[in-house]
Amino acid sequence: MSEPSRRDRWAIIVHGGAKDIPPGQEQIHRDGCLAALGAGQAVLEAGGRALDAVVAAVRALEDDPTFNAGRGAVRNARGEVELDAAIMDGQTLAVGGVAAVKTLRHPISVAAAMLPEVPVLLVGEGAEAFARAHGGEFCAPADLLAAGPDDRGCDTVGCVALDRHGNIAAGTSTGGLSGCHPGRVGDSPLPGCGLYADNAVGGVSLSGDGESLIRTTLAARLMQGLETLPPGPAIETALSHLARVGGEAGLIVIDAAGRIDWDHTSAQFAVAHASASQPARAFVNRAEDARKDLA
Ligand code: ASP
């Protein structure tokens, strides 16, 4: 059989964070990831841009209080919400990011609005002023906070998409780590740490212990691996570096050939993926996703 033409090829993968999912909560994580995947998939199937698919999927995850991003965010040590998000365009290498924002309903959309701008990352009040000038949606910080106690570990959300035009995009959005220092920014909005995309190589989005992912520039290591290796071995090689500093991680990947893969060192990592050749499916750990070739 002939290879699918570029126009027929698309792929998307989303994650709901590297963490321990409490018993009985597995299905709502799968369902939340599947719903977000569906929002992104609809964009790709209609011939839309990878960037728009990533925004659509991450907005859905930000809307779902199951996940620590947008609504459902955890509290820092002062009991406040601080959100970080970023998106990267693999065609132009443009990156937009916001960090330590307290009133943005959809940080990923404000990050996307920054893509044409010179700055890569705006924080705090500066980011919120940018959002005000660019039609960002605002809400009260209390509307973003997770209900009940913050007993969750890491659960940043993320998405990588490849569109029918061969363009790759990656995004992340997070409420950070529960009880963290006010003003702390993790890996999620930092290119090369929590995400990266380059049409020539692939796209990645990560979750886990932000300081460990930053110290090992794990997204950059993963991209470097993808230059010469298929996604599985590239993930394995990147994860081997994490041992040096400790901490947990979950990684999702689509390479330039449209191959999807993912893995994690955390107990669970909720993921859903689909492509032109594979139907949408969701999982809470890699062992559930037994297929060898995920493309
Ligand atoms: N990596 C994120 C951070 O450190 C947390 C997470 O993945 O859930 O802010």
Side-chain angles (χ1 to χ4, degrees):
M1 242 171 55
S2 60
E3 285 275 301
S5 76
R6 189 161 246 213
R7 267 185 316 117
D8 296 331
R9 200 181 66 184
W10 57 265
I12 182 165
I13 181 165
V14 304
H15 74 76
K19 60 178 178 177
D20 292 350
I21 297 176
Q25 303 265 303
E26 294 89 348
Q27 198 52 40
I28 59 165
H29 282 79
R30 290 190 197 96
D31 291 346
C33 284
L34 267 183
L37 186 84
Q41 182 175 341
V43 173
L44 298 176
E45 283 178 327
R49 300 188 311 162
L51 281 170
D52 295 327
V54 168
V55 171
V58 174
R59 280 178 68 96
L61 291 161
E62 287 176 340
D63 273 336
D64 186 339
T66 305
F67 305 104
N68 171 22
R71 287 178 61 218
V74 297
R75 293 162 175 78
N76 65 18
R78 271 206 302 247
E80 297 168 343
V81 63
E82 289 187 320
L83 309 177
D84 308 333
I87 187 164
M88 182 157 182
D89 179 355
Q91 184 179 15
T92 62
L93 306 188
V95 190
V98 294
V101 293
K102 299 179 181 190
T103 58
L104 296 186
R105 183 73 191 77
H106 284 294
I108 193 69
S109 293
V110 180
M114 282 193 45
L115 285 168
E117 308 291 332
V118 173
V120 162
L121 179 64
L122 294 177
V123 303
E125 284 173 17
E128 295 187 349
F130 176 86
R132 217 164 286 118
H134 290 79
E137 295 166 65
F138 287 83
C139 64
D143 295 343
L144 297 167
L145 281 174
D150 287 348
D151 55 357
R152 295 174 296 176
C154 311
D155 55 356
T156 291
V157 304
C159 176
V160 180
L162 164 71
D163 66 30
R164 291 180 191 269
H165 315 286
N167 293 320
I168 296 174
T172 52
S173 183
T174 189
L177 296 181
S178 176
C180 68
H181 197 288
R184 175 252 184 203
V185 176
D187 61 295
S188 305
L190 304 182
C193 299
L195 77 164
Y196 205 83
D198 178 348
N199 281 3
V201 179
V204 304
S205 172
L206 283 68
S207 173
D209 294 298
E211 284 70 12
S212 296
L213 305 188
I214 294 168
R215 288 187 175 109
T216 53
T217 57
L218 209 63
R221 286 191 190 275
L222 187 49
M223 292 296 293
Q224 190 181 21
L226 288 172
E227 288 177 0
T228 53
L229 298 169
I235 291 173
E236 206 178 312
T237 305
L239 283 175
S240 68
H241 290 280
L242 201 61
R244 185 153 172 218
V245 294
E248 294 184 338
L251 308 85
I252 59 173
V253 175
I254 298 177
D255 75 358
R259 290 178 293 190
I260 293 172
D261 211 339
W262 60 289
D263 210 346
H264 53 104
T265 61
S266 52
Q268 277 99 18
F269 189 44
V271 161
H273 57 73
S275 69
S277 56
Q278 298 275 359
R281 292 178 59 197
F283 314 91
V284 292
N285 59 61
R286 186 62 178 79
E288 286 185 347
D289 191 1
R291 281 170 298 158
K292 290 271 180 289
D293 177 9
L294 303 181

